[in-house]
Amino acid sequence: MNLSTTIAGVQFPGCIMNAAGARCVTQAELEALGRSRACAIVTKSMTLEPRQGNPEPRYYGFPSGSINSMGLPNLGYRAYAKLIPELKRFGKPVIASVAGLCEADFISIATVINESQPDLVEVNLSCPNIPGKPQIGYDAEASERLLARVRKVLTVPMGVKLPPYFDPVHQEQMVPVLERTGVQFLSLINSVGNGLVVDPVSETVVIKPKGGFGGLGGPLIKPVALANVRAFWKLFGGRLPIIGTGGVVTGTDIFEHLLCGASAVQIGTVLVDEGLAAFDRLEQELAAVLEAKGYGSVEACRGKLKEL
Ligand code: RRO
């Protein structure tokens, strides 16, 4: 079964990669992704300075999903700029996830990271977990200003990781922004921000930062992820490649993302829970689903969701 895919002109040997944040902070984790069946290596979103992140516990998994408030723990962009050329030896695309605590940070980081020539840059406009910092992707004007500046300093393809939108008007507002700033792919969606999980036995929240509020991931967010993939697929007439993220636990979940219009998927919660073996399992499950359905490739079923 041919599970390869192409995003913004870059060839991927498969269609399942890690989501930024999941097992991709340290050199050892990034190299392990390189050796795994992941079709790409996506870095943790990087900031100007190294960060420890928020106090623990800051991640909690439960049967229907996960909640996190990691707070951008990462090595700082200088470390990733050094690592990226080495990671390319694994022979799969390297995606640098760029974040920042203010607009100027994104520009400084993108300028330097571009010199290390990742295959793609994913600009994270949707971290929900920095106290006092709203998700940029919910502000169309701020997103446009930032993306226009980042675009200017990049020579590699630029994509954007967006937050989930819950109203079609907000998705429609982003379309001209993404067009005018030359965005070449979308990663949809980041975690569903500012959820709250309660443990009724201990009568407490389950993570420490921000009074227990954090980004939701895993199976419970799949319908929101699929809706955003489908909405943007339709808004762009299928011309803008989309990486679907949210609720992938089985090969069938990936098939659903592909039907909605995704060209590839990223895995977060399941990768944290299950480890790198998730890539092998999901690849086999997806191949079996596509074969049973009579599709010969990712491309063959992409966007083919039927309406009633
Ligand atoms: O580090 C985090 O707390 C985090 C980030 Br940057 C993000 O983009 N999404 C998320 O769920 N957590």
Side-chain angles (χ1 to χ4, degrees):
M1 178 60 65
N2 176 13
L3 297 183
S4 68
T5 193
T6 304
I7 294 163
V10 175
Q11 309 256 12
F12 289 69
C15 66
I16 311 166
M17 68 191 88
N18 67 296
R23 296 182 183 264
C24 60
V25 175
T26 64
Q27 176 171 359
E29 286 176 328
L30 291 163
E31 288 175 350
L33 284 167
R35 288 188 297 271
S36 78
R37 292 292 300 172
C39 75
I41 305 172
V42 186
T43 71
K44 171 67 183 171
S45 293
M46 58 190 81
T47 52
L48 221 43
E49 300 305 330
R51 286 173 61 87
Q52 295 292 324
N54 290 336
E56 294 180 344
R58 56 193 187 180
Y59 179 94
Y60 180 81
F62 52 103
S64 56
S66 65
I67 184 167
N68 89 83
S69 183
M70 305 302 289
L72 269 164
N74 77 98
L75 305 178
Y77 78 104
R78 294 173 191 88
Y80 296 109
K82 263 197 216 128
L83 274 174
I84 286 169
E86 294 170 32
L87 293 173
K88 290 180 79 165
R89 75 177 188 271
F90 290 103
K92 57 177 89 170
V94 177
I95 304 182
S97 173
V98 170
L101 301 181
C102 65
E103 188 177 308
D105 289 2
F106 281 82
I107 318 306
S108 309
I109 296 167
T111 305
V112 173
I113 227 59
N114 187 66
E115 285 165 21
S116 65
Q117 291 285 295
D119 295 276
L120 301 155
V121 164
E122 185 183 275
V123 182
N124 185 357
L125 296 187
S126 46
C127 175
N129 297 330
I130 305 297
K133 305 271 180 202
Q135 284 150 275
I136 304 163
Y138 286 136
D139 180 338
E141 272 176 37
S143 296
E144 177 151 13
R145 239 188 3 251
L146 189 152
L147 290 172
R149 291 183 67 192
V150 173
R151 177 68 277 173
K152 281 205 186 109
V153 302
L154 290 181
T155 56
V156 304
M158 175 178 83
V160 188
K161 176 89 166 262
L162 291 174
Y165 297 101
F166 301 97
D167 188 317
V169 168
H170 298 146
Q171 290 156 341
E172 288 158 21
Q173 273 172 359
M174 287 306 287
V175 171
V177 169
L178 301 169
E179 277 172 345
R180 284 195 293 259
T181 54
V183 167
Q184 288 155 286
F185 72 95
L186 300 177
S187 292
L188 305 173
I189 54 176
N190 207 319
S191 57
V192 173
N194 299 299
L196 186 65
V197 174
V198 170
D199 180 344
V201 176
S202 60
E203 304 176 26
T204 64
V205 299
V206 297
I207 55 171
K208 186 175 174 69
K210 283 176 77 173
F213 288 76
L216 303 172
L220 76 114
I221 73 160
K222 186 175 72 169
V224 178
L226 294 176
N228 276 270
V229 170
R230 189 63 181 165
F232 279 101
W233 163 263
K234 289 175 89 166
L235 286 165
F236 281 95
R239 288 184 308 275
L240 190 61
I242 296 171
I243 305 176
T245 310
V248 169
V249 180
T250 67
T252 302
D253 298 323
I254 300 175
F255 181 56
E256 293 175 15
H257 270 278
L258 301 179
L259 285 176
C260 289
S263 294
V265 297
Q266 294 179 343
I267 58 172
T269 301
V270 78
L271 178 56
V272 172
D273 285 355
E274 192 176 327
L276 299 168
F279 291 112
D280 306 64
R281 177 181 64 76
L282 286 167
E283 209 173 64
Q284 284 167 28
E285 288 179 10
L286 176 61
V289 173
L290 293 185
E291 201 167 307
K293 291 279 186 177
Y295 290 108
S297 65
V298 166
E299 177 66 27
C301 66
R302 181 159 50 95
K304 295 281 163 62
L305 185 67
K306 295 176 204 144
E307 294 181 12
L308 303 178

